[in-house]
Amino acid sequence: MIRRPPRSTLSSSSAASDVYKRQVLLSPVRLCARGILFAFSFWWINVDVEGNPSPVDAPVLVVASHCSTFELLYFIYQWQPMFLCHTTVQEVPFLGKCAQLMEAVFVERLDETSRREALTIIDQCLTRTKPRPIIFFPEGTWTNGQCLIAFKTAAFRLGFPVLPIALQYPHTSLNVAAVGRAGTCFFMLRMMLQLYNRMDVHQLGVHTPTLEEIKNPSLFADNVRRVIARKLELETTEHTHEDSHLMELTQDCGYHLRNAAATLDVASVQQHCDISAEALFKLLHTFKELDLDSTGRLDYRGFLAVTELPETAYSHNLFQYLDPSRSARVTFADYVQRLTVIKNKQAAHQRMQLAYLLCNKSGSGKLTLAEMDAACENVNVPEARKMAGMQMLVPGSRGGADWIRFDLFAQWLDQNREVLNMFLLSPSNPLLKLIKWH
């Protein structure tokens, strides 16, 4: 989105009146924010400024690394910026009202439509004659401050100059990074009992995007992240907020499930399995609700309990499909990779293999003409299409053994993708009992 000329605004007297009212109403909020920082031993805050930037020069503040809620309190006191916050904040007494006074933009983080609407609102606000600064924490989550994770591109899609701000909390005995322990009373008490907690704020030079960066927000974000990382003397990693959220969701789970979440690359899963991050999180919730063992994996007994299948060669083959390593346990990674095949149109060959397996009710590994006929009847394949398929597949039977070669079966399904979807998405598919997003 390329910057547009300022739109028409309200009269100067009305605008000045709104600004005055906001300043008056926000004065106690500012004092409260500074008071909280005092209570947690932030007696003074070191601020290092490069140049003399103003909200007009760079209305977008990009802050990293994002370690705790204390940096937001600092910016409320010092800048009173607009900011993005979750829709649920509106319902919080006092805090919701304060957010409205500061013209916060409320967004549902996992709703793509909500995120898109939020960017439209922000773009409109920033094209005012005298825009208020808006603050972004592009990492999207708290980190431990030891490196900079991949930046979200929302702040950079607007095409405005940005003011990079590097934050760090130098410490000797207590790291105030709140990731994983923000709500614990002991941690909060320790912070309050510290003689001095230190926060260093480095306002770097304004970064005005090039034409190439405006066209490529990811490049814009990477370049700004590199500037901040250089100032903080930190390494960068391509792990994202979604990776962090996935790990957070498995904190109370078995070792293998925690390990799977820690090693899973959400962006790679999205690309290769053709699912959104939201769908992946839903799969994780569903997997956790299955009859898992103590390590966080699904064994054969748990598989039979969920699918309500008897112990037969057919059920054994389906379980082996989910367990390619033949470890007798299904990991979360295998669960995602194997079950997303059901709807992943990029994995045509794997979908046909699964359809062959589902139709082979005897579990012999060789699909018979009788099984093929029964499968077509079960999913209501049109008679004409079924007969055409049977005529095509009959020559594939070997020596009167009455079984169908997979290559001919795949060829028929390649010509009849609707039938392939009918086999995989039919309620009779027992694997659908393992997932809830279908």
Side-chain angles (χ1 to χ4, degrees):
M1 185 182 299
I2 299 177
R3 187 173 182 176
R4 301 189 298 270
R7 63 175 184 171
S8 59
T9 58
L10 299 175
S11 65
S12 58
S13 59
S14 176
S17 176
D18 290 341
V19 171
Y20 177 74
K21 289 179 181 178
R22 186 182 302 114
Q23 289 177 342
V24 171
L25 292 173
L26 284 179
S27 294
V29 176
R30 291 187 62 214
L31 291 175
C32 285
R34 192 63 185 96
I36 293 172
L37 290 171
F38 270 123
F40 283 90
S41 302
F42 291 96
W43 307 119
W44 64 88
I45 296 172
N46 301 316
V47 181
D48 174 27
V49 181
E50 294 182 8
N52 187 27
S54 72
V56 176
D57 299 326
V60 178
L61 311 181
V62 174
V63 182
S65 60
H66 186 25
C67 296
S68 76
T69 193
F70 295 107
E71 49 243 33
L72 182 57
L73 292 172
Y74 162 75
F75 284 104
I76 289 175
Y77 170 73
Q78 189 67 36
W79 289 77
Q80 304 92 55
M82 297 170 57
F83 56 90
L84 287 169
C85 63
H86 199 273
T87 51
T88 54
V89 174
Q90 296 180 88
E91 304 170 4
V92 179
F94 181 70
L95 186 59
K97 189 62 178 178
C98 292
Q100 291 175 10
L101 283 173
M102 297 182 68
E103 295 185 290
V105 179
F106 299 98
V107 61
E108 184 66 48
R109 180 184 292 175
L110 299 181
D111 186 342
E112 184 177 350
T113 302
S114 178
R115 296 197 299 265
R116 195 161 48 242
E117 291 175 349
L119 281 181
T120 301
I121 294 172
I122 292 169
D123 185 56
Q124 292 172 351
C125 292
L126 294 181
T127 50
R128 296 170 180 168
T129 303
K130 293 183 178 180
R132 291 184 62 214
I134 182 165
I135 188 170
F136 284 89
F137 297 95
E139 292 173 294
T141 188
W142 286 342
T143 70
N144 59 12
Q146 301 303 307
C147 66
L148 293 185
I149 65 175
F151 278 10
K152 296 285 189 179
T153 59
F156 308 95
R157 292 183 182 276
L158 301 167
F160 287 90
V162 303
L163 177 62
I165 299 180
L167 274 176
Q168 57 188 167
Y169 296 89
H171 61 280
T172 302
S173 57
L174 178 64
N175 182 2
V176 303
V179 58
R181 52 182 181 169
T184 61
C185 294
F186 179 69
F187 173 64
M188 305 296 276
L189 182 62
R190 279 198 65 189
M191 284 197 66
M192 297 179 76
L193 293 178
Q194 287 277 103
L195 289 178
Y196 170 49
N197 286 316
R198 181 176 169 186
M199 179 193 299
D200 289 350
V201 181
H202 307 282
Q203 292 179 207
L204 309 180
V206 173
H207 187 112
T208 302
T210 64
L211 183 59
E212 185 179 3
E213 288 176 329
I214 291 175
K215 293 179 178 179
N216 186 353
S218 296
L219 174 64
F220 191 3
D222 286 342
N223 289 341
V224 172
R225 181 173 65 146
R226 193 175 298 113
V227 170
I228 296 177
R230 188 183 304 118
K231 181 65 178 181
L232 296 177
E233 299 181 351
L234 294 178
E235 297 294 329
T236 60
T237 174
E238 297 313 307
H239 284 90
T240 64
H241 161 257
E242 286 79 10
D243 295 323
S244 175
H245 186 56
L246 195 68
M247 289 187 285
E248 183 181 345
L249 293 174
T250 60
Q251 290 303 306
D252 58 345
C253 301
Y255 163 75
H256 283 284
L257 184 50
R258 294 199 310 272
N259 185 62
T263 57
L264 209 60
D265 183 348
V266 174
S268 179
V269 172
Q270 289 180 273
Q271 178 182 356
H272 293 99
C273 295
D274 193 28
I275 61 170
S276 64
E278 294 84 351
L280 179 61
F281 299 149
K282 289 180 182 178
L283 282 178
L284 176 59
H285 283 298
T286 304
F287 187 73
K288 290 167 62 176
E289 292 173 0
L290 300 180
D291 192 9
L292 306 180
D293 62 18
S294 59
T295 67
R297 295 178 294 177
L298 180 67
D299 59 18
Y300 186 47
R301 177 191 59 79
F303 170 79
L304 294 178
V306 175
T307 58
E308 301 178 347
L309 289 172
E311 188 172 353
T312 62
Y314 176 66
S315 61
H316 181 71
N317 287 347
L318 290 182
F319 182 76
Q320 283 196 326
Y321 166 78
L322 296 174
D323 178 31
S325 63
R326 301 296 187 267
S327 63
R329 298 287 190 279
V330 178
T331 66
F332 178 63
D334 289 334
Y335 170 84
V336 171
Q337 182 180 2
R338 292 296 183 158
L339 289 182
T340 52
V341 165
I342 293 175
K343 296 181 69 175
N344 185 2
K345 295 181 180 179
Q346 300 175 9
H349 186 73
Q350 291 89 335
R351 297 183 83 214
M352 294 171 187
Q353 288 179 321
L354 178 55
Y356 191 89
L357 190 66
L358 290 169
C359 293
N360 181 216
K361 295 290 186 179
S362 67
S364 65
K366 297 179 178 180
L367 177 62
T368 65
L369 292 173
E371 288 175 327
M372 175 67 182
D373 182 65
C376 290
E377 289 288 340
N378 189 41
V379 300
N380 298 318
V381 175
E383 188 67 22
R385 186 168 292 181
K386 183 185 75 171
M387 294 306 298
M390 297 297 279
Q391 291 176 4
M392 178 180 177
L393 296 173
V394 165
S397 59
R398 295 294 188 89
D402 194 35
W403 60 273
I404 300 169
R405 286 166 30 198
F406 172 73
D407 59 337
L408 289 179
F409 179 79
Q411 183 180 346
W412 177 61
L413 288 183
D414 190 45
Q415 299 171 4
N416 297 271
R417 293 299 178 95
E418 300 87 353
V419 177
L420 175 59
N421 289 331
M422 293 169 75
F423 284 147
L424 296 180
L425 299 175
S426 167
S428 62
N429 179 357
L431 295 182
L432 292 182
K433 294 182 180 179
L434 298 170
I435 51 181
K436 293 182 179 179
W437 51 268
H438 63 280

